[in-house]
């Protein structure tokens, strides 16, 4: 009798441990370490797709390189909930065919992926940003000012 009970307890504990271990990645969040937050770039292009998806909004742009060749860039922004709540964005914030400029931080490995920090319409209108984007951009400005003060 004790052996059956002990086996059941071990089985339940094993299942619980497995569930806890497999749930770990659910709570994980990726790092911004892949982006070069010391190098601000601006890309100007035509929106090909605006993806209002979790965990991050994606803006896909067709951008012309120096030779006029089209390149696809992807700019990440905050989550839909955050951008909606803090900056007033909607699922129709940018439409395919619209020309916009995005300032942000490129991925360190050279891929055409960036962490968007500021967004502008073709007429120069600056789009409101969430607190996270504002903090990232301000961090860049603060680092630049500190470096300029050392010179």
């Amino acid at each position: 009798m004790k052996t059956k009970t002990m086996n059941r307890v071990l089985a339940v504990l094993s299942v619980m441990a497995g569930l806890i271990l497999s749930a770990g990645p659910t709570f994980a969040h990726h790092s911004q370490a892949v982006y070069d937050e010391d190098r601000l770039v601006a890309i100007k292009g035509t929106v090909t797709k605006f993806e209002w998806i979790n965990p991050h909004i994606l803006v896909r742009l067709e951008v012309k390189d120096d030779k006029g060749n089209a390149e696809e860039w992807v700019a990440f922004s905050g989550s839909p909930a955050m951008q909606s709540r803090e900056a007033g964005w909607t699922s129709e914030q940018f439409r395919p065919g619209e020309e916009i400029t995005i300032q942000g931080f490129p991925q360190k490995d050279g891929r055409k992926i960036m962490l968007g920090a500021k967004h502008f319409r073709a007429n120069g209108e600056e789009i409101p940003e969430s607190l996270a984007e504002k903090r990232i951009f301000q961090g860049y400005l603060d680092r630049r000012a500190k470096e300029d003060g050392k010179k």
Side-chain angles (χ1 to χ4, degrees), residues 101-122:
T101 299
I102 301 176
Q103 291 181 342
F105 305 99
Q107 195 154 317
K108 291 177 182 176
D109 67 6
R111 289 187 287 166
K112 308 295 183 202
I113 300 171
M114 73 186 312
L115 178 61
K118 289 190 171 270
H119 298 73
F120 301 89
R121 299 213 186 274

PDB file of all heavy atoms in Angstrom, residues 101-122:
ATOM      1  N   THR A 101       9.193  57.640 -42.531  1.00  0.00           N
ATOM      2  CA  THR A 101      10.591  57.583 -42.105  1.00  0.00           C
ATOM      3  C   THR A 101      10.600  57.055 -40.681  1.00  0.00           C
ATOM      4  O   THR A 101       9.789  57.470 -39.853  1.00  0.00           O
ATOM      5  CB  THR A 101      11.243  58.975 -42.160  1.00  0.00           C
ATOM      6  OG1 THR A 101      11.213  59.447 -43.505  1.00  0.00           O
ATOM      7  CG2 THR A 101      12.683  58.935 -41.659  1.00  0.00           C
ATOM      8  N   ILE A 102      11.511  56.139 -40.414  1.00  0.00           N
ATOM      9  CA  ILE A 102      11.660  55.601 -39.072  1.00  0.00           C
ATOM     10  C   ILE A 102      13.104  55.796 -38.632  1.00  0.00           C
ATOM     11  O   ILE A 102      14.034  55.471 -39.368  1.00  0.00           O
ATOM     12  CB  ILE A 102      11.305  54.099 -39.012  1.00  0.00           C
ATOM     13  CG1 ILE A 102       9.870  53.868 -39.477  1.00  0.00           C
ATOM     14  CG2 ILE A 102      11.505  53.552 -37.589  1.00  0.00           C
ATOM     15  CD1 ILE A 102       9.469  52.399 -39.547  1.00  0.00           C
ATOM     16  N   GLN A 103      13.274  56.368 -37.449  1.00  0.00           N
ATOM     17  CA  GLN A 103      14.591  56.454 -36.828  1.00  0.00           C
ATOM     18  C   GLN A 103      14.659  55.350 -35.779  1.00  0.00           C
ATOM     19  O   GLN A 103      13.690  55.134 -35.038  1.00  0.00           O
ATOM     20  CB  GLN A 103      14.791  57.802 -36.138  1.00  0.00           C
ATOM     21  CG  GLN A 103      14.904  58.959 -37.073  1.00  0.00           C
ATOM     22  CD  GLN A 103      15.116  60.265 -36.310  1.00  0.00           C
ATOM     23  OE1 GLN A 103      14.859  60.364 -35.122  1.00  0.00           O
ATOM     24  NE2 GLN A 103      15.579  61.272 -37.022  1.00  0.00           N
ATOM     25  N   GLY A 104      15.772  54.657 -35.747  1.00  0.00           N
ATOM     26  CA  GLY A 104      15.889  53.589 -34.775  1.00  0.00           C
ATOM     27  C   GLY A 104      17.285  53.006 -34.762  1.00  0.00           C
ATOM     28  O   GLY A 104      18.228  53.585 -35.299  1.00  0.00           O
ATOM     29  N   PHE A 105      17.372  51.840 -34.150  1.00  0.00           N
ATOM     30  CA  PHE A 105      18.653  51.210 -33.899  1.00  0.00           C
ATOM     31  C   PHE A 105      18.732  49.894 -34.663  1.00  0.00           C
ATOM     32  O   PHE A 105      17.912  49.002 -34.456  1.00  0.00           O
ATOM     33  CB  PHE A 105      18.827  51.013 -32.390  1.00  0.00           C
ATOM     34  CG  PHE A 105      18.646  52.322 -31.661  1.00  0.00           C
ATOM     35  CD1 PHE A 105      17.438  52.635 -31.053  1.00  0.00           C
ATOM     36  CD2 PHE A 105      19.659  53.266 -31.644  1.00  0.00           C
ATOM     37  CE1 PHE A 105      17.257  53.854 -30.421  1.00  0.00           C
ATOM     38  CE2 PHE A 105      19.489  54.488 -31.016  1.00  0.00           C
ATOM     39  CZ  PHE A 105      18.283  54.791 -30.401  1.00  0.00           C
ATOM     40  N   PRO A 106      19.716  49.780 -35.561  1.00  0.00           N
ATOM     41  CA  PRO A 106      19.807  48.599 -36.418  1.00  0.00           C
ATOM     42  C   PRO A 106      20.291  47.366 -35.657  1.00  0.00           C
ATOM     43  O   PRO A 106      20.964  47.472 -34.624  1.00  0.00           O
ATOM     44  CB  PRO A 106      20.836  49.006 -37.471  1.00  0.00           C
ATOM     45  CG  PRO A 106      21.726  49.966 -36.741  1.00  0.00           C
ATOM     46  CD  PRO A 106      20.813  50.716 -35.791  1.00  0.00           C
ATOM     47  N   GLN A 107      19.953  46.221 -36.202  1.00  0.00           N
ATOM     48  CA  GLN A 107      20.435  44.973 -35.620  1.00  0.00           C
ATOM     49  C   GLN A 107      21.943  44.880 -35.845  1.00  0.00           C
ATOM     50  O   GLN A 107      22.455  45.245 -36.900  1.00  0.00           O
ATOM     51  CB  GLN A 107      19.700  43.789 -36.252  1.00  0.00           C
ATOM     52  CG  GLN A 107      19.882  42.518 -35.444  1.00  0.00           C
ATOM     53  CD  GLN A 107      18.744  41.549 -35.621  1.00  0.00           C
ATOM     54  OE1 GLN A 107      17.596  41.919 -35.630  1.00  0.00           O
ATOM     55  NE2 GLN A 107      19.097  40.285 -35.761  1.00  0.00           N
ATOM     56  N   LYS A 108      22.661  44.406 -34.849  1.00  0.00           N
ATOM     57  CA  LYS A 108      24.131  44.369 -34.896  1.00  0.00           C
ATOM     58  C   LYS A 108      24.679  43.459 -35.982  1.00  0.00           C
ATOM     59  O   LYS A 108      25.776  43.685 -36.477  1.00  0.00           O
ATOM     60  CB  LYS A 108      24.690  43.921 -33.545  1.00  0.00           C
ATOM     61  CG  LYS A 108      24.497  44.934 -32.445  1.00  0.00           C
ATOM     62  CD  LYS A 108      25.009  44.395 -31.118  1.00  0.00           C
ATOM     63  CE  LYS A 108      24.782  45.394 -30.008  1.00  0.00           C
ATOM     64  NZ  LYS A 108      25.193  44.825 -28.698  1.00  0.00           N
ATOM     65  N   ASP A 109      23.926  42.443 -36.377  1.00  0.00           N
ATOM     66  CA  ASP A 109      24.457  41.482 -37.357  1.00  0.00           C
ATOM     67  C   ASP A 109      24.316  41.954 -38.800  1.00  0.00           C
ATOM     68  O   ASP A 109      24.678  41.242 -39.723  1.00  0.00           O
ATOM     69  CB  ASP A 109      23.816  40.107 -37.172  1.00  0.00           C
ATOM     70  CG  ASP A 109      22.333  40.081 -37.501  1.00  0.00           C
ATOM     71  OD1 ASP A 109      21.780  41.088 -37.995  1.00  0.00           O
ATOM     72  OD2 ASP A 109      21.709  39.030 -37.255  1.00  0.00           O
ATOM     73  N   GLY A 110      23.816  43.169 -39.010  1.00  0.00           N
ATOM     74  CA  GLY A 110      23.745  43.727 -40.352  1.00  0.00           C
ATOM     75  C   GLY A 110      22.454  43.450 -41.105  1.00  0.00           C
ATOM     76  O   GLY A 110      22.251  43.991 -42.190  1.00  0.00           O
ATOM     77  N   ARG A 111      21.589  42.612 -40.545  1.00  0.00           N
ATOM     78  CA  ARG A 111      20.309  42.377 -41.218  1.00  0.00           C
ATOM     79  C   ARG A 111      19.487  43.656 -41.214  1.00  0.00           C
ATOM     80  O   ARG A 111      19.686  44.530 -40.383  1.00  0.00           O
ATOM     81  CB  ARG A 111      19.536  41.237 -40.542  1.00  0.00           C
ATOM     82  CG  ARG A 111      20.173  39.890 -40.804  1.00  0.00           C
ATOM     83  CD  ARG A 111      19.322  38.758 -40.294  1.00  0.00           C
ATOM     84  NE  ARG A 111      19.398  38.718 -38.833  1.00  0.00           N
ATOM     85  CZ  ARG A 111      18.574  38.028 -38.069  1.00  0.00           C
ATOM     86  NH1 ARG A 111      17.596  37.337 -38.594  1.00  0.00           N
ATOM     87  NH2 ARG A 111      18.716  38.032 -36.756  1.00  0.00           N
ATOM     88  N   LYS A 112      18.589  43.777 -42.129  1.00  0.00           N
ATOM     89  CA  LYS A 112      17.763  44.974 -42.303  1.00  0.00           C
ATOM     90  C   LYS A 112      16.583  44.934 -41.320  1.00  0.00           C
ATOM     91  O   LYS A 112      15.414  44.912 -41.690  1.00  0.00           O
ATOM     92  CB  LYS A 112      17.255  45.087 -43.744  1.00  0.00           C
ATOM     93  CG  LYS A 112      18.336  44.997 -44.798  1.00  0.00           C
ATOM     94  CD  LYS A 112      19.285  46.149 -44.716  1.00  0.00           C
ATOM     95  CE  LYS A 112      20.300  46.057 -45.843  1.00  0.00           C
ATOM     96  NZ  LYS A 112      21.486  46.781 -45.577  1.00  0.00           N
ATOM     97  N   ILE A 113      16.943  44.925 -40.047  1.00  0.00           N
ATOM     98  CA  ILE A 113      15.975  44.876 -38.958  1.00  0.00           C
ATOM     99  C   ILE A 113      16.364  45.962 -37.969  1.00  0.00           C
ATOM    100  O   ILE A 113      17.552  46.160 -37.702  1.00  0.00           O
ATOM    101  CB  ILE A 113      15.991  43.497 -38.258  1.00  0.00           C
ATOM    102  CG1 ILE A 113      15.643  42.397 -39.255  1.00  0.00           C
ATOM    103  CG2 ILE A 113      15.040  43.474 -37.065  1.00  0.00           C
ATOM    104  CD1 ILE A 113      15.839  40.992 -38.712  1.00  0.00           C
ATOM    105  N   MET A 114      15.387  46.683 -37.447  1.00  0.00           N
ATOM    106  CA  MET A 114      15.707  47.743 -36.506  1.00  0.00           C
ATOM    107  C   MET A 114      14.682  47.823 -35.388  1.00  0.00           C
ATOM    108  O   MET A 114      13.551  47.368 -35.535  1.00  0.00           O
ATOM    109  CB  MET A 114      15.820  49.093 -37.214  1.00  0.00           C
ATOM    110  CG  MET A 114      14.494  49.669 -37.657  1.00  0.00           C
ATOM    111  SD  MET A 114      14.576  51.188 -38.652  1.00  0.00           S
ATOM    112  CE  MET A 114      15.683  52.220 -37.778  1.00  0.00           C
ATOM    113  N   LEU A 115      15.102  48.406 -34.305  1.00  0.00           N
ATOM    114  CA  LEU A 115      14.229  48.735 -33.198  1.00  0.00           C
ATOM    115  C   LEU A 115      13.788  50.163 -33.444  1.00  0.00           C
ATOM    116  O   LEU A 115      14.591  51.089 -33.345  1.00  0.00           O
ATOM    117  CB  LEU A 115      14.996  48.603 -31.877  1.00  0.00           C
ATOM    118  CG  LEU A 115      14.259  48.947 -30.599  1.00  0.00           C
ATOM    119  CD1 LEU A 115      13.044  48.032 -30.409  1.00  0.00           C
ATOM    120  CD2 LEU A 115      15.203  48.814 -29.411  1.00  0.00           C
ATOM    121  N   GLY A 116      12.535  50.353 -33.837  1.00  0.00           N
ATOM    122  CA  GLY A 116      12.039  51.686 -34.156  1.00  0.00           C
ATOM    123  C   GLY A 116      11.897  52.543 -32.909  1.00  0.00           C
ATOM    124  O   GLY A 116      11.408  52.082 -31.884  1.00  0.00           O
ATOM    125  N   ALA A 117      12.343  53.792 -32.985  1.00  0.00           N
ATOM    126  CA  ALA A 117      12.256  54.698 -31.842  1.00  0.00           C
ATOM    127  C   ALA A 117      11.423  55.930 -32.156  1.00  0.00           C
ATOM    128  O   ALA A 117      10.754  56.471 -31.283  1.00  0.00           O
ATOM    129  CB  ALA A 117      13.647  55.114 -31.390  1.00  0.00           C
ATOM    130  N   LYS A 118      11.449  56.373 -33.405  1.00  0.00           N
ATOM    131  CA  LYS A 118      10.657  57.533 -33.838  1.00  0.00           C
ATOM    132  C   LYS A 118      10.114  57.244 -35.231  1.00  0.00           C
ATOM    133  O   LYS A 118      10.819  56.698 -36.071  1.00  0.00           O
ATOM    134  CB  LYS A 118      11.495  58.810 -33.856  1.00  0.00           C
ATOM    135  CG  LYS A 118      11.850  59.318 -32.469  1.00  0.00           C
ATOM    136  CD  LYS A 118      12.465  60.708 -32.577  1.00  0.00           C
ATOM    137  CE  LYS A 118      12.630  61.332 -31.225  1.00  0.00           C
ATOM    138  NZ  LYS A 118      11.475  62.112 -30.814  1.00  0.00           N
ATOM    139  N   HIS A 119       8.871  57.632 -35.446  1.00  0.00           N
ATOM    140  CA  HIS A 119       8.194  57.411 -36.731  1.00  0.00           C
ATOM    141  C   HIS A 119       7.653  58.747 -37.233  1.00  0.00           C
ATOM    142  O   HIS A 119       7.098  59.520 -36.442  1.00  0.00           O
ATOM    143  CB  HIS A 119       7.025  56.435 -36.553  1.00  0.00           C
ATOM    144  CG  HIS A 119       7.447  55.073 -36.073  1.00  0.00           C
ATOM    145  ND1 HIS A 119       7.865  54.831 -34.784  1.00  0.00           N
ATOM    146  CD2 HIS A 119       7.505  53.891 -36.720  1.00  0.00           C
ATOM    147  CE1 HIS A 119       8.164  53.546 -34.656  1.00  0.00           C
ATOM    148  NE2 HIS A 119       7.958  52.958 -35.809  1.00  0.00           N
ATOM    149  N   PHE A 120       7.813  58.990 -38.530  1.00  0.00           N
ATOM    150  CA  PHE A 120       7.368  60.243 -39.136  1.00  0.00           C
ATOM    151  C   PHE A 120       6.583  59.950 -40.412  1.00  0.00           C
ATOM    152  O   PHE A 120       6.977  59.091 -41.203  1.00  0.00           O
ATOM    153  CB  PHE A 120       8.577  61.127 -39.513  1.00  0.00           C
ATOM    154  CG  PHE A 120       9.456  61.480 -38.351  1.00  0.00           C
ATOM    155  CD1 PHE A 120      10.508  60.653 -37.988  1.00  0.00           C
ATOM    156  CD2 PHE A 120       9.241  62.636 -37.630  1.00  0.00           C
ATOM    157  CE1 PHE A 120      11.340  60.977 -36.922  1.00  0.00           C
ATOM    158  CE2 PHE A 120      10.068  62.963 -36.555  1.00  0.00           C
ATOM    159  CZ  PHE A 120      11.119  62.124 -36.208  1.00  0.00           C
ATOM    160  N   ARG A 121       5.529  60.679 -40.626  1.00  0.00           N
ATOM    161  CA  ARG A 121       4.785  60.596 -41.891  1.00  0.00           C
ATOM    162  C   ARG A 121       5.549  61.398 -42.950  1.00  0.00           C
ATOM    163  O   ARG A 121       6.458  62.172 -42.639  1.00  0.00           O
ATOM    164  CB  ARG A 121       3.370  61.140 -41.729  1.00  0.00           C
ATOM    165  CG  ARG A 121       2.577  60.344 -40.690  1.00  0.00           C
ATOM    166  CD  ARG A 121       1.114  60.274 -41.047  1.00  0.00           C
ATOM    167  NE  ARG A 121       0.367  59.637 -39.971  1.00  0.00           N
ATOM    168  CZ  ARG A 121       0.208  58.327 -39.842  1.00  0.00           C
ATOM    169  NH1 ARG A 121       0.733  57.507 -40.717  1.00  0.00           N
ATOM    170  NH2 ARG A 121      -0.489  57.836 -38.831  1.00  0.00           N
ATOM    171  N   ALA A 122       5.168  61.224 -44.202  1.00  0.00           N
ATOM    172  CA  ALA A 122       5.860  61.894 -45.315  1.00  0.00           C
ATOM    173  C   ALA A 122       5.809  63.416 -45.181  1.00  0.00           C
ATOM    174  O   ALA A 122       6.734  64.105 -45.611  1.00  0.00           O
ATOM    175  CB  ALA A 122       5.252  61.457 -46.645  1.00  0.00           C
TER     176      ALA A 122
END
